Amino acid sequence: MAERDDTEKQPVHKRGYGVSTVYETLRNEIIELKLAPGSPVDEQQLSDRFALSRTPIREALVRLAAEGLITTLTNRTTIVSNIDFLGLGEFFDALTLMYRVTTRLAAANHQASDIDGIRALQLQFQTAVEARDVLGMIATNRDFHVAIAEAGRNRYYTDLFTRLLDQGRRILRLYYSSFNDVLPRQYVGEHEDMIQAIINRDIDGADKLAAAHADQIVSQIRSYITADNRQTARLPL
Amino acid sequence: MAERDDTEKQPVHKRGYGVSTVYETLRNEIIELKLAPGSPVDEQQLSDRFALSRTPIREALVRLAAEGLITTLTNRTTIVSNIDFLGLGEFFDALTLMYRVTTRLAAANHQASDIDGIRALQLQFQTAVEARDVLGMIATNRDFHVAIAEAGRNRYYTDLFTRLLDQGRRILRLYYSSFNDVLPRQYVGEHEDMIQAIINRDIDGADKLAAAHADQIVSQIRSYITADNRQTARLPL
DNA sequence: TGCCGACTTCGTGTCGACAATAAAAATACA
DNA sequence: TGTATTTTTATTGTCGACACGAAGTCGGCA
């Protein structure tokens, strides 16, 4: 689909920042599906592109592999990890639990200053919705929930949740064309309710809202997938 | 305390298995506190020890850093990560939740064959308890719960839980000298109850048992730590 | 004698090259 | 013409060496 011809060279790196640059760049491109799942990741190609030797490239790839974003076949090749549709059940389960836990903890542990950041991101999300900027919605929605997780002050949950949300971004992007506007608008309202519950330190309320929110998103994705499947099933044979 | 003079050389590696050997060896030594938290990790030294060039060593270190087991100070040195006593609250919270979730899911999703593996590990744990083999207890207890998590069939929970349990092993080892036998014996019984609940597919029962089990362990560790603190507080000044 | 700056040293970050390995291509054979 | 075997090729895994950066060290100056 999308060509990867936009290989701009970024020649100058400070010593020690080469790997993290490569890591972050590739990470973004994988999450934003600029690099298609299953597509091969060539070390020499990246070496040329970033004007770095293969050693720092490799270290970045090792980090990406540790996060499961790429898969390395020993001695042969490394590819962008495929989206595991069979494991989607596990994914949704974990995602829902993390939505709930992080929102609960935010209600319990947040400090006043956290709210400002959350509010700002909610505003960004809202403007993205109004502008019908689907990609922006996906990104800002992610940031909004990460901010809530950080207000909850449990790094273990935040780490797992962030990884799950980023995984989710890959899936959402696959289906973003089918977005309509009624759901996103609803999300704005749900976000608003969640913020209120957090401010009121209403832990159980926050939990319930988060659970409902998660269910919304999960069933939305599920419906996209089954709709997609139906299309394939209708293919003339 | 323990010297790290036992640096045996392992010269022969199959191509591609060098890094994983280094990774696993170091990982074990860190978790088992053979490498003290805060102690420096020298690449050249490891290079000599494993009879490998620094490149594969480095890749192993990157993986360890991604898991948080070591900390790399850019351009300077890399050390074995310190145990974060201030973040212990977060740790216990996440640990408890994962105990509950994995046991719940095991009750819901296990297959008959899983039970055999769990039973075998429970037996190992029991023999370690009877032999008063504290180190064995810590290790087999970990394996027992990992097996339950795997029977629950959610890789996201299993991953996080495994990491948490391994972190916990470092903490437990710090205090293993203060172990008495009454608690471990109690754990054997609690494990037995958990297995029964899982077999009966009693999800809520499994949850409750896991929660109680986790609380036991957490309060045990907490009491060790506070006892330790009291000692320091009693120091003559 | 105490503080500031150049120098030395040690270890990491990066590089280019070589070796091994597995897939693909080419060849031989039935 | 189809299949088994050898050869080629592309790409990874590993290596030894160099270069940069930060501590610690030493000497100069007030």
Side-chain angles (χ1 to χ4, degrees):
Chain A
M1 211 148 283
E3 301 294 320
R4 280 173 264 108
D5 296 326
D6 50 353
T7 57
E8 320 106 23
K9 291 206 179 190
Q10 292 121 303
V12 271
H13 299 286
K14 269 187 186 168
R15 179 188 176 82
Y17 286 79
V19 280
S20 44
T21 309
V22 176
Y23 168 77
E24 281 159 22
T25 307
L26 288 184
R27 179 189 160 76
N28 266 330
E29 293 184 353
I30 292 172
I31 289 171
E32 294 180 355
L33 285 183
K34 285 178 187 165
L35 268 57
S39 65
V41 178
D42 189 272
E43 294 178 5
Q44 291 192 137
Q45 207 167 298
L46 292 173
S47 177
D48 293 344
R49 173 175 169 199
F50 288 96
L52 283 168
S53 117
R54 271 180 52 230
T55 313
I57 303 285
R58 254 169 153 275
E59 292 190 7
L61 293 185
V62 169
R63 283 177 66 180
L64 289 169
E67 279 187 63
L69 289 173
I70 64 174
T71 311
T72 72
L73 293 321
T74 317
N75 261 321
R76 201 54 211 143
T77 183
T78 95
I79 58 171
V80 178
S81 293
N82 283 305
I83 296 176
D84 179 13
F85 288 97
L86 281 84
L88 230 46
E90 306 176 20
F91 172 76
F92 288 142
D93 194 78
L95 185 68
T96 305
L97 183 63
M98 286 302 114
Y99 263 107
R100 291 180 51 200
V101 172
T102 53
T103 314
R104 278 187 76 98
L105 285 184
N109 300 335
H110 78 269
Q111 292 173 4
S113 57
D114 295 327
I115 301 295
D116 299 337
I118 295 172
R119 272 255 151 78
L121 288 164
Q122 158 72 345
L123 208 68
Q124 279 186 32
F125 178 69
Q126 198 169 340
T127 54
V129 168
E130 276 158 16
R132 286 182 170 64
D133 169 15
V134 187
L135 263 32
M137 281 171 40
I138 296 176
T140 52
N141 177 63
R142 179 259 191 203
D143 293 340
F144 173 75
H145 286 290
V146 169
I148 289 180
E150 278 167 357
R153 302 208 150 55
N154 186 309
R155 125 187 42 133
Y156 302 100
Y157 298 144
T158 308
D159 281 3
L160 176 58
F161 192 39
T162 308
R163 273 209 304 272
L164 291 171
L165 283 172
D166 286 337
Q167 279 283 114
R169 278 171 73 187
R170 292 217 304 172
I171 298 170
L172 279 177
R173 282 197 173 247
L174 274 179
Y175 296 100
Y176 80 95
S177 52
S178 18
F179 264 131
N180 55 33
D181 350 70
V182 38
L183 248 29
R185 267 174 217 288
Q186 185 180 331
Y187 290 162
V188 174
E190 292 184 8
H191 281 184
E192 211 61 66
D193 295 343
M194 286 169 60
I195 296 177
Q196 258 324 314
I198 290 171
I199 291 175
N200 298 340
R201 300 205 178 274
D202 174 8
I203 296 176
D204 288 328
D207 186 335
K208 282 205 183 72
L209 287 168
H213 192 61
D215 287 346
Q216 280 288 345
I217 292 173
V218 167
S219 67
Q220 182 189 9
I221 299 178
R222 275 231 159 87
S223 74
Y224 288 157
I225 293 173
T226 52
D228 193 63
N229 281 348
R230 239 174 247 149
Q231 279 186 351
T232 6
R234 266 195 240 108
L235 270 179
L237 300 171
Chain B
M1 213 149 283
E3 301 293 322
R4 359 195 181 82
D5 295 326
D6 50 355
T7 57
E8 320 106 25
K9 292 207 176 187
Q10 292 121 304
V12 272
H13 299 286
K14 267 188 185 167
R15 179 189 175 83
Y17 286 79
V19 280
S20 44
T21 309
V22 176
Y23 168 76
E24 282 160 21
T25 308
L26 288 184
R27 179 189 158 77
N28 266 329
E29 294 183 352
I30 292 172
I31 289 172
E32 294 181 355
L33 286 183
K34 284 178 187 165
L35 293 164
S39 64
V41 178
D42 189 275
E43 294 179 5
Q44 294 190 131
Q45 207 167 300
L46 292 173
S47 178
D48 294 344
R49 171 173 171 200
F50 288 96
L52 283 168
S53 116
R54 271 179 52 228
T55 312
I57 303 284
R58 250 164 159 280
E59 292 190 7
L61 293 185
V62 170
R63 283 177 66 183
L64 290 169
E67 280 187 62
L69 289 174
I70 64 174
T71 310
T72 72
L73 294 320
T74 316
N75 261 321
R76 200 59 210 137
T77 182
T78 94
I79 58 170
V80 177
S81 292
N82 283 306
I83 296 175
D84 177 14
F85 287 97
L86 281 83
L88 230 45
E90 306 175 20
F91 172 76
F92 288 142
D93 194 78
L95 185 68
T96 305
L97 183 64
M98 285 302 115
Y99 262 106
R100 291 180 51 199
V101 172
T102 53
T103 314
R104 277 187 78 96
L105 285 184
N109 301 334
H110 79 269
Q111 293 173 3
S113 57
D114 296 326
I115 301 296
D116 300 336
I118 294 172
R119 272 255 151 78
L121 288 164
Q122 158 72 345
L123 209 65
Q124 278 185 34
F125 178 69
Q126 198 170 340
T127 53
V129 168
E130 275 159 17
R132 285 180 168 66
D133 169 16
V134 185
L135 263 31
M137 281 171 38
I138 295 175
T140 52
N141 177 65
R142 179 261 191 201
D143 293 341
F144 173 76
H145 286 289
V146 169
I148 290 180
E150 277 167 357
R153 301 207 152 55
N154 186 308
R155 125 186 44 129
Y156 301 100
Y157 298 144
T158 308
D159 282 2
L160 177 57
F161 192 38
T162 308
R163 272 211 303 272
L164 291 171
L165 283 172
D166 286 337
Q167 279 282 112
R169 278 171 73 187
R170 291 218 304 171
I171 299 169
L172 279 178
R173 282 197 174 247
L174 275 179
Y175 296 99
Y176 79 95
S177 52
S178 18
F179 263 132
N180 54 32
D181 348 73
V182 38
L183 247 31
R185 267 175 217 289
Q186 185 181 330
Y187 290 161
V188 174
E190 292 184 9
H191 280 183
E192 211 62 63
D193 295 343
M194 285 170 61
I195 295 177
Q196 259 323 314
I198 291 171
I199 292 176
N200 297 340
R201 301 204 178 274
D202 174 9
I203 296 175
D204 289 328
D207 187 335
K208 281 205 183 72
L209 287 168
H213 192 60
D215 287 345
Q216 280 288 344
I217 292 172
V218 167
S219 65
Q220 182 188 9
I221 300 177
R222 276 230 157 87
S223 73
Y224 289 158
I225 292 172
T226 51
D228 193 62
N229 282 348
R230 240 174 246 147
Q231 279 186 350
T232 4
R234 264 196 241 108
L235 272 179
L237 300 171

